[in-house]
């Protein structure tokens, strides 16, 4: 357990974009079932996430995407170019290869309809503080 705590304390290295970016932060509660939480974590790890879905995320213009988890609470951070249009990109993402299949697959962890798109499940968060 100490290794996990040490890993969290080290922080995470970020890429610098070289220009202005938009940041979106979203929230989702998944199942409280520990086995499903473990499986959700597995399917989002580098060795298990679907390459077509990763490619689609980049194809719609997303520069960086991260998921953070605490228990059954998941936060997604998305960085995009400054001129990114969220609604247009999410509508396009929903049409890309394997995206609908992925959303149906992960719905069992998320407690939602297997037909729900990503942007119908995740709740956009509001920034209330920034350290300038």
């Amino acid at each position: 357990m100490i290794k996990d705590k040490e890993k969290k304390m080290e922080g995470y290295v970020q890429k610098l974009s070289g220009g202005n970016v938009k940041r979106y932060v979203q929230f989702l509660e998944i199942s409280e079932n520990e086995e499903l939480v473990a499986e959700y974590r597995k399917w989002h790890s580098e060795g298990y996430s679907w390459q077509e879905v990763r490619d689609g995320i980049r194809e719609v213009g997303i520069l960086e995407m991260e998921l953070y988890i605490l228990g059954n609470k998941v936060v997604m951070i998305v960085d995009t170019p400054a001129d990114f249009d969220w609604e247009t990109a999410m509508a396009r993402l929903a049409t890309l290869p394997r995206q609908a299949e992925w959303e149906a697959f992960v719905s069992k962890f998320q407690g939602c309809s297997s037909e729900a798109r990503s942007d119908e499940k995740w709740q956009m968060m509001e920034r209330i503080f920034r350290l300038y």
Side-chain angles (χ1 to χ4, degrees), residues 64-85:
E64 187 70 46
M65 178 184 284
E66 298 176 316
L67 297 179
Y68 293 84
I69 190 167
L70 179 63
N72 73 320
K73 293 161 181 51
V74 185
V75 173
M76 180 187 329
I77 301 172
V78 178
D79 289 339
T80 69
D83 62 351
F84 187 83
D85 181 278

Side-chain angles (χ1 to χ4, degrees), residues 108-124:
K108 70 181 177 184
F109 309 106
Q110 299 167 334
C112 60
S113 165
S114 63
E115 297 171 5
R117 295 180 354 181
S118 176
D119 61 331
E120 295 170 331
K121 302 182 225 183
W122 288 86
Q123 298 174 51
M124 195 68 74

